[in-house]
Amino acid sequence: LDPEQKDYLGTVRDAAQHLLGIVNDVLDFAKIEAQRLELDIASFDLIQLMEHTIKPTAIQAQQQGLDLSLEIDPLVPPYLQGDPGRLRQIVVNLVSNALKFTESGSIWINVRKQRITDKEATLTFSVKDTGIGIPPEKHPTIFESFRQAEGSTTRRFGGTGLGLAICKQLVALMEGDIWVDSSLGRGSTFSF
Ligand code: ADP
């Protein structure tokens, strides 16, 4: 293809991927409403999963001039059972938000061990950014569906307000919790 055709097709691909993201969010939201959202349990390699998940976002971070790093506590067991697809979805969602709301600085992704028994691993995943931050009074509402921290008329950023609501449901299915530590202008850390 000549450069102009390549450019047009790139735009078409980006638009299609964006639309697919919205369709998938709406489908997940419909499953939550119907109480049909379920986990699909399989064995997986956590390090491989995290590295594959971060790769596309690392390229985007580089294009935006942001540093992106991934750190996995060596005490985290590498082979786990869980829903790797849904785990990936949560991480992608949090990292995409970090990219969207951070103009300069860095994004730091961290996986830590909390508690390991013979049968269960309790882990904490965190995504920390140096972006615009969220005022404390908005912390409870951003995890609700169709809620965004800034008013719709003043919005600079796209989005549906469904991502965190879906993450919250998925984390609950994994018997976990999701929370944010942030204040306006001082970046955000989302953990689950
Ligand atoms: P969306 O990003 O589609 O608007 P989400 O449910 O993912 O929906 O996020 C809800 C809102 O929470 C966002 O609109 C934004 O106001 C706020 N938010 C989420 N992540 C961040 C972040 N990393 N930094 C600042 N604000 C954030």
Side-chain angles (χ1 to χ4, degrees):
L1 297 177
D2 67 38
E4 196 181 358
Q5 289 170 324
K6 245 189 182 163
D7 190 45
Y8 284 146
L9 275 188
T11 307
V12 171
R13 186 200 49 210
D14 290 350
Q17 274 169 355
H18 183 64
L19 190 57
L20 186 64
I22 295 175
V23 170
N24 280 333
D25 275 358
V26 171
L27 269 177
D28 277 344
F29 187 67
K31 282 187 195 161
I32 293 169
E33 293 272 274
Q35 298 185 341
R36 286 281 190 277
L37 191 70
E38 286 169 8
L39 297 181
D40 197 1
I41 304 299
S43 300
F44 64 97
D45 175 337
L46 182 74
I47 296 172
Q48 199 182 59
L49 176 92
M50 290 302 290
E51 283 176 353
H52 285 177
T53 303
I54 301 311
K55 222 177 193 172
T57 51
I59 295 167
Q60 203 188 326
Q62 202 180 18
Q63 286 166 349
Q64 283 180 229
L66 299 170
D67 279 336
L68 187 136
S69 63
L70 166 66
E71 202 180 301
I72 302 177
D73 180 346
L75 295 173
V76 170
Y79 297 104
L80 295 167
Q81 281 212 324
D83 188 332
R86 293 301 191 176
L87 184 58
R88 183 192 184 109
Q89 182 180 352
I90 300 167
V91 173
V92 166
N93 214 305
L94 297 182
V95 177
S96 303
N97 276 349
L99 284 169
K100 183 159 72 172
F101 295 105
T102 306
E103 218 163 319
S104 63
S106 52
I107 296 168
W108 190 61
I109 303 145
N110 181 262
V111 186
R112 287 187 311 276
K113 173 202 103 151
Q114 292 302 333
R115 201 168 52 89
I116 311 282
T117 67
D118 286 351
K119 289 210 162 65
E120 272 184 357
T122 308
L123 309 176
T124 302
F125 293 72
S126 298
V127 178
K128 182 179 172 146
D129 66 53
T130 54
I132 61 171
I134 305 160
E137 68 273 15
K138 303 276 182 172
H139 292 187
T141 52
I142 55 169
F143 293 100
E144 292 171 12
S145 40
F146 304 112
R147 296 297 286 267
Q148 296 170 317
E150 324 92 70
S152 55
T153 49
T154 58
R155 276 190 81 76
R156 283 190 288 144
F157 309 98
T160 56
L162 284 178
L164 289 178
I166 294 167
C167 287
K168 190 177 168 174
Q169 293 291 328
L170 289 174
V171 168
L173 282 176
M174 296 173 185
E175 294 168 40
D177 203 4
I178 184 165
W179 67 96
V180 62
D181 180 10
S182 179
S183 55
L184 211 52
R186 318 202 72 173
S188 311
T189 306
F190 281 84
S191 305
F192 68 93

